[in-house]
């Protein structure tokens, strides 16, 4: 056990170490007070939203989505097309930075929907860090293996809109399929294969796995957002292998790829993630640093239920018995932390006594 622990410590150090330094994003060099003043100009923002709607940046979903906000103000834009989302982001940045005014910045909170208080804490943090906030809702198929719960993953879009309304986010990005070929109709994905065990796309329906995935896609519309035609993947090779990567080898490749896609579409200055998925956060931080994204990645502390269980959309899928047993994870981690702290204090006390003894001997 001691040898195994010694071999594992270098990885833990690498996982907990911050990624290499990178160029500070533009938003960090802008004054906080000017950003606050910029956000307070409500009438100017409402006028801007109207102009953008007239300019073709609005979709039918966005027009309906304006009613999701509080009465008396313009609600969030809702975009399904990546081109509309990118056009909007670039437009709001262009409208800032004029003579005597602050630059507009965009903070981004990627989610898979079924929002809870943990997600909303990310939105609240994003509001502090930029003049505009974008939230995405997309259940990413490439981070699910065929035997996992892609089709069962909770989806509550109307409820998500109601939860976001008090936070007055500026835009919500709800893409249909981020893995379709450019110009390919979403329905064409029905003929494609689903994600393979290794996280890649299927082989065009060849082989038993591809045939099964294609059959599942034709049977279940939710599986139509498959990754069968996708050939380009982003990987953080060392960090994706241990811990969660051992049981879910496809997972971090799917996460890194979809986050890269979302970053290219939304073009944010800041991206906010929870620390609950700590390995995932380290993968994203390393990817951003090594691929030279000019994005500030912010990690937000874990939000927990009253009994200590980390908030998660998947908690809704637990049976009452499993829900009660799940709290033992947090309890065990707290117990382990307390034991480590006690041993550290005892070791420090022994070192202190030894040093005092050596000093006394020297004086004698």
């Amino acid at each position: 056990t001691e040898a195994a622990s010694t071999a594992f410590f270098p990885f833990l150090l690498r996982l907990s170490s911050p990624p290499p330094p990178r160029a500070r994003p533009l938003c960090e060099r802008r004054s906080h007070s000017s950003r606050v003043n910029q956000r307070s100009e409500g009438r100017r923002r409402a006028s801007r939203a109207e102009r953008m709607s007239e300019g073709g940046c609005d979709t039918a979903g966005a027009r309906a989505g304006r009613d999701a906000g509080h009465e008396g103000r313009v609600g969030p834009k809702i975009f399904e097309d990546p081109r509309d989302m990118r056009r909007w982001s670039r437009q709001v940045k262009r409208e800032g930075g004029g003579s005597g005014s602050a630059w507009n910045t965009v903070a981004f909170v990627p989610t898979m929907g079924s929002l809870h208080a943990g997600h909303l804490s990310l939105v609240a943090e994003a509001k502090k860090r930029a003049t505009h906030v974008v939230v995405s809702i997309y259940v990413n198929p490439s981070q699910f293996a065929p035997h996992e719960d892609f089709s069962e993953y909770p989806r509550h879009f109307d409820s998500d809109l109601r939860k976001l309304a008090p936070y007055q986010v500026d835009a919500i990005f709800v893409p249909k399929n981020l893995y379709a070929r450019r110009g390919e109709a979403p329905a064409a994905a029905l003929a494609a294969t689903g994600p393979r065990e290794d996280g890649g796309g299927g082989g065009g329906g060849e082989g038993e796995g591809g045939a099964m995935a294609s059959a599942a896609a034709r049977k279940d519309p939710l599986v139509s957002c498959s990754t069968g035609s996708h050939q380009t993947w982003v990987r953080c090779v060392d960090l994706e292998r241990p811990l969660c990567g051992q049981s879910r080898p496809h997972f971090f490749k799917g996460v890194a790829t979809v986050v890269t896609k979302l970053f290219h579409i939304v073009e944010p200055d800041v991206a906010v993630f929870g620390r609950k998925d700590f390995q995932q956060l380290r993968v994203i931080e390393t990817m951003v640093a090594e691929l030279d994204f000019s994005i500030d990645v912010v990690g937000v502390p874990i939000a927990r239920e009253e009994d200590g269980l980390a908030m998660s959309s998947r908690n809704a899928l637990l049976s009452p018995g499993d829900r009660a047993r799940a709290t033992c994870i947090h309890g065990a981690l707290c117990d382990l932390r307390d034991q480590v702290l006690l041993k550290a204090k005892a070791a420090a006390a022994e070192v202190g006594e030894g040093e005092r003894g050596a000093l006394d001997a020297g004086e004698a």
Side-chain angles (χ1 to χ4, degrees):
T1 304
E2 187 171 331
S5 299
T6 302
F8 190 61
F9 281 148
F11 168 74
L12 287 180
L13 290 173
R14 187 164 68 252
L15 184 66
S16 60
S17 299
R22 58 183 177 79
R24 293 174 64 197
L26 183 62
C27 64
E28 293 182 12
R29 303 195 292 269
R30 296 163 186 161
S31 106
H32 174 71
S33 61
S34 62
R35 291 201 307 268
V36 172
N37 291 337
Q38 181 90 11
R39 182 165 270 288
S40 67
E41 298 176 1
R43 285 182 295 180
R44 177 189 169 195
R45 294 184 59 192
S47 174
R48 177 171 62 240
E50 292 174 2
R51 291 197 308 272
M52 293 184 66
S53 176
E54 295 170 357
C57 291
D58 212 358
T59 64
R63 290 191 293 273
R66 284 198 293 269
D67 296 332
H70 289 167
E71 185 177 355
R73 77 169 189 88
V74 176
K77 295 281 186 177
I78 301 179
F79 299 104
E80 294 180 354
D81 191 316
R83 294 167 296 184
D84 291 340
M85 180 71 254
R86 184 182 294 112
R87 187 182 300 120
W88 178 89
S89 182
R90 292 178 178 179
Q91 174 104 12
V92 297
K93 290 182 180 182
R94 281 198 301 268
E95 291 189 348
S99 176
S101 64
W103 288 92
N104 284 338
T105 53
V106 174
F108 178 44
V109 182
T111 81
M112 294 208 301
S114 191
L115 304 182
H116 50 68
H119 294 113
L120 300 179
S121 71
L122 308 185
V123 176
E125 183 65 29
K127 295 272 289 184
K128 300 175 185 176
R129 293 177 176 268
T131 62
H132 293 71
V133 174
V134 177
V135 176
S136 68
I137 298 176
Y138 180 64
V139 182
N140 175 36
S142 69
Q143 64 194 65
F144 293 81
H147 63 278
E148 293 180 343
D149 58 346
F150 174 67
S151 60
E152 288 80 25
Y153 193 88
R155 292 165 171 85
H156 306 292
F157 182 67
D158 291 340
S159 174
D160 291 342
L161 288 183
R162 289 193 294 271
K163 291 175 182 177
L164 287 171
Y167 293 85
Q168 301 185 19
V169 301
D170 299 275
I172 302 174
F173 182 41
V174 194
K176 289 185 178 297
N177 182 9
L178 290 178
Y179 296 91
R181 289 192 181 99
R182 187 179 293 270
E184 178 183 35
L190 287 170
T193 63
R196 292 194 311 240
E197 288 284 352
D198 64 357
E206 296 178 2
E208 182 180 355
M212 291 175 63
S214 294
R218 287 190 294 270
K219 182 177 180 180
D220 186 352
L222 289 174
V223 189
S224 65
C225 292
S226 69
T227 61
S229 62
H230 209 264
Q231 301 182 57
T232 305
W233 300 93
V234 180
R235 303 189 68 170
C236 192
V237 177
D238 289 335
L239 287 178
E240 74 177 28
R241 287 174 178 166
L243 302 178
C244 293
Q246 292 183 350
S247 59
R248 303 185 73 194
H250 57 283
F251 179 73
F252 292 113
K253 180 165 70 172
V255 168
T257 300
V258 79
V259 170
T260 298
K261 285 173 167 287
L262 291 168
F263 282 174
H264 282 309
I265 294 167
V266 178
E267 298 183 348
D269 301 284
V270 181
V272 185
F273 297 85
R275 293 180 190 159
K276 176 175 70 72
D277 302 305
F278 187 72
Q279 188 176 5
Q280 171 179 288
L281 177 61
R282 281 290 181 248
V283 165
I284 292 169
E285 288 176 334
T286 302
M287 178 192 77
V288 165
E290 295 184 353
L291 296 184
D292 299 307
F293 283 100
S294 184
I295 298 173
D296 184 14
V297 176
V298 177
V300 174
I302 299 172
R304 296 187 178 277
E305 306 286 357
E306 292 184 1
D307 57 6
L309 182 65
M311 291 184 176
S312 171
S313 301
R314 283 192 172 96
N315 288 350
L317 303 177
L318 296 174
S319 67
D322 287 341
R323 171 64 181 78
R325 285 186 287 272
T327 59
C328 72
I329 299 173
H330 183 240
L333 289 172
C334 289
D335 290 343
L336 181 60
R337 176 200 60 195
D338 294 342
Q339 292 177 32
V340 170
L341 290 176
L342 284 174
K343 290 183 179 180
K345 289 180 181 178
E350 290 180 5
V351 170
E353 290 177 1
E355 290 178 348
R356 284 195 297 272
L359 288 173
D360 293 341
E363 291 174 358

